[in-house]
Amino acid sequence: MSESGTGAQRAARGTPAPVNPLLKLALEFGPLAIFFFANSYGGRLFGVAEDRRIFVATGIFIAASLVALVLSKILMRHLPRMAIVNAVVVTVFGGLTIALDDAFFIKVKPTIVNTLFGCVLLGGLLFGRSLLALVLDSVLQLDAEGWRKLTLRWGLFFFVLAALNEIVWRTQSQDFWVAFKVWGVMPLTMIFALAQTPLILKHEIKRPEAAE
């Protein structure tokens, strides 16, 4: 079957279209990077006072997150569940930050999101469900034990990220927290994801070769 035919069938079924990994990374990481630069250079670019940069950056962060969500829908033909949750929480807590003129809300947002993800994943395991499979089943094919172990590890990792966010924003400067949120959390997450490769390879279900 031709590639064009396959693409047409995929579009008709509403299944995700193949996306360049770099583009996917840009859609996920782009809003955070924009948030960092808006906070770092807000005074120079927008003429706001130093103590107001975080509020301008938060407004831009909300807009960038929503734009990334729209682009994900256009380019991938579906909305990733985690991206939806993140965009909603960014909008809610970012909106509270701006409306109440209090940076506490945007700072505590990662704590709440990561705690929520951790609770959902570990809570699912308590009921015998590996919910991570619902998110990654189009990317990975693992046996039940593999999904259980991977879900447990990611659930615990989300709690670690929540704790790190609390420590950093409560003990460090605002600029340090923003930098850590962008340039600290992302590398930590990528390193952790790569560290799961042996587990994935061990429990991966090999797909039979498709007939020509």
Side-chain angles (χ1 to χ4, degrees):
M1 181 177 290
S2 67
E3 290 185 4
S4 60
T6 302
Q9 287 184 346
R10 183 186 296 115
R13 292 192 304 266
T15 54
V19 178
N20 186 297
L22 293 179
L23 176 59
K24 188 173 185 296
L25 180 64
L27 290 173
E28 295 175 353
F29 184 66
L32 274 176
I34 291 171
F35 176 61
F36 170 78
F37 285 109
N39 180 75
S40 298
Y41 304 104
R44 196 178 310 169
L45 294 175
F46 308 109
V48 297
E50 288 294 303
D51 62 343
R52 305 301 302 173
R53 288 181 293 126
I54 188 68
F55 300 102
V56 173
T58 297
I60 294 174
F61 187 26
I62 294 172
S65 297
L66 295 177
V67 169
L69 203 60
V70 171
L71 290 176
S72 294
K73 176 62 176 178
I74 294 173
L75 298 174
M76 297 188 289
R77 301 195 186 100
H78 83 299
L79 294 176
R81 293 180 179 89
M82 293 181 69
I84 294 174
V85 172
N86 188 64
V88 170
V89 176
V90 166
T91 301
V92 171
F93 283 84
L96 288 172
T97 295
I98 296 171
L100 301 179
D101 200 37
D102 190 343
F104 164 81
F105 296 99
I106 196 64
K107 290 178 178 178
V108 81
K109 190 273 295 182
T111 302
I112 293 175
V113 170
N114 288 315
T115 300
L116 175 63
F117 287 158
C119 287
V120 168
L121 293 182
L122 297 186
L125 288 180
L126 291 177
F127 291 95
R129 297 287 302 277
S130 297
L131 298 178
L132 195 63
L134 298 178
V135 180
L136 300 178
D137 62 346
S138 63
V139 179
L140 299 174
Q141 293 293 322
L142 305 180
D143 58 32
E145 181 67 10
W147 280 122
R148 188 188 68 79
K149 290 180 178 179
L150 192 63
T151 299
L152 175 63
R153 292 183 182 185
W154 274 103
L156 294 175
F157 180 70
F158 281 127
F159 281 117
V160 170
L161 290 182
L164 282 175
N165 184 70
E166 283 296 294
I167 292 171
V168 172
W169 85 260
R170 291 180 184 276
T171 63
Q172 304 299 318
S173 69
Q174 183 168 281
D175 286 346
F176 183 93
W177 171 77
V178 173
F180 172 77
K181 176 178 171 63
V182 179
W183 309 115
V185 173
M186 180 63 72
L188 283 174
T189 303
M190 293 179 69
I191 291 171
F192 178 80
L194 289 174
Q196 308 314 306
T197 301
L199 172 67
I200 292 171
L201 293 177
K202 180 179 178 181
H203 293 277
E204 185 178 17
I205 298 175
K206 303 295 183 182
R207 293 181 178 178
E209 291 294 330
E212 293 293 334

